[in-house]
Amino acid sequence: MSTTICQVMGFLVSLLGVGGSIMATAMDTWSTQDLYDNPVTAVFQYQGLWRSCVRQSSGFTECRPYFTILGLPAMFQAVRALMIVGIVLGILGLLVCIFALKCIRIGSMEDTAKANMTLTSGIMFIIAGLCAITGVSVFANMLVTNFWMSTTSMFQGMQNVQNRYTFGSALFVGWVAGGLALVGGIMMCLACKGLIPEESRYKAVSYNASGRNISYRTGPYKVGSGYEADPKARKGYDEAPRSEDGRRSYPSKYDYV
């Protein structure tokens, strides 16, 4: 029962993690305009992985997608790739995990096959969580670098007006989603250990001959069948008295009565 609970909980936690990664990737608030120096503004800007948006004080919001790929920074494209890879691996892991659940029976699938599928889905969830955490962390590092560069430029008087961007809500969603996927993958790997049967290999069965030990020898050695006469009986046979016609005489069974 504990194995089933661990497997189901790992599936649910991983499902939340993959769903959170999809939501974070689709959100437009990866970076938001810093309003520390100018809390009252008529225009508020925020950006995502796929488009940048501007919200006016009147409530009107206009978003514009990025129409270029090569014009974007290399790190920005790397973040996109990491999030997409994490989502694809997470979805594949969910599909594999559904068929690997112990509470679901599909045909005559053995527990060993379910254990292998559970381990595979767990590894997929772990990689998906690491991809999400890495992508969000790389984007956060870009924001921190640009923020301090903009701050330095403003204090040096190089530019009078400089828009600075800080962490958006999508970053926190991505961090939490990656952590959930990572934890779910670890739980699936732990559940795999409980699904493996205790005796996964067939035990060797030794068959003993009905008679004595049978020895097989090569060369000049004789083959002992185990059914040879007892040497003592053989000796008695050789020492049996002979009759007048040369035949051996043996005691009758009535002589022992």
Side-chain angles (χ1 to χ4, degrees):
M1 182 63 69
S2 59
T3 301
T4 305
I5 294 176
C6 183
Q7 190 183 34
V8 174
M9 290 299 297
F11 172 75
L12 295 177
V13 173
S14 301
L15 179 62
L16 293 177
V18 175
S21 298
I22 296 174
M23 184 173 61
T25 305
M27 292 176 65
D28 297 327
T29 55
W30 279 68
S31 60
T32 58
Q33 183 179 357
D34 183 33
L35 302 178
Y36 177 76
D37 295 333
N38 189 14
V40 180
T41 179
V43 178
F44 178 73
Q45 300 179 5
Y46 53 95
Q47 299 176 353
L49 294 179
W50 312 103
R51 60 181 182 175
S52 59
C53 300
V54 176
R55 186 175 67 236
Q56 300 179 1
S57 58
S58 60
F60 178 76
T61 302
E62 181 181 1
C63 296
R64 182 181 180 182
Y66 302 124
F67 294 104
T68 180
I69 296 178
L70 300 178
L72 297 174
M75 298 300 293
F76 191 86
Q77 297 181 12
V79 172
R80 280 182 169 183
L82 286 172
M83 297 303 295
I84 292 174
V85 169
I87 291 173
V88 172
L89 288 177
I91 293 176
L92 292 178
L94 290 175
L95 294 177
V96 174
C97 185
I98 290 175
F99 295 100
L101 292 176
K102 191 175 181 180
C103 56
I104 298 178
R105 283 292 178 182
I106 301 176
S108 59
M109 184 179 295
E110 298 180 354
D111 292 338
T112 305
K114 284 184 174 291
N116 295 331
M117 295 175 66
T118 302
L119 180 61
T120 302
S121 61
I123 294 175
M124 287 183 177
F125 291 144
I126 291 175
I127 298 176
L130 292 177
C131 287
I133 294 175
T134 304
V136 175
S137 300
V138 169
F139 194 90
N141 183 57
M142 292 172 54
L143 287 179
V144 172
T145 303
N146 295 331
F147 182 87
W148 290 114
M149 290 180 61
S150 301
T151 303
T152 303
S153 301
M154 290 176 61
F155 282 124
Q156 290 179 356
M158 296 181 181
Q159 296 178 357
N160 295 328
V161 179
Q162 180 70 26
N163 290 331
R164 298 182 301 179
Y165 292 90
T166 184
F167 294 170
S169 58
L171 296 181
F172 302 100
V173 174
W175 273 317
V176 174
L180 290 176
L182 185 62
V183 172
I186 294 174
M187 294 179 67
M188 295 298 293
C189 292
L190 294 177
C192 168
K193 185 177 180 181
L195 291 175
I196 299 177
E198 297 180 358
E199 299 179 356
S200 58
R201 298 180 180 179
Y202 293 99
K203 292 185 177 180
V205 181
S206 59
Y207 295 94
N208 297 324
S210 58
R212 299 183 181 179
N213 295 332
I214 301 176
S215 60
Y216 297 91
R217 299 178 182 177
T218 58
Y221 297 99
K222 295 174 61 178
V223 178
S225 61
Y227 294 97
E228 298 179 1
D230 194 356
K232 296 181 179 181
R234 181 69 179 177
K235 184 178 180 181
Y237 175 81
D238 295 336
E239 295 178 355
R242 297 177 179 270
S243 61
E244 295 179 357
D245 57 356
R247 298 180 180 179
R248 297 183 184 275
S249 60
Y250 298 94
S252 174
K253 63 179 181 178
Y254 298 100
D255 297 336
Y256 296 98
V257 179

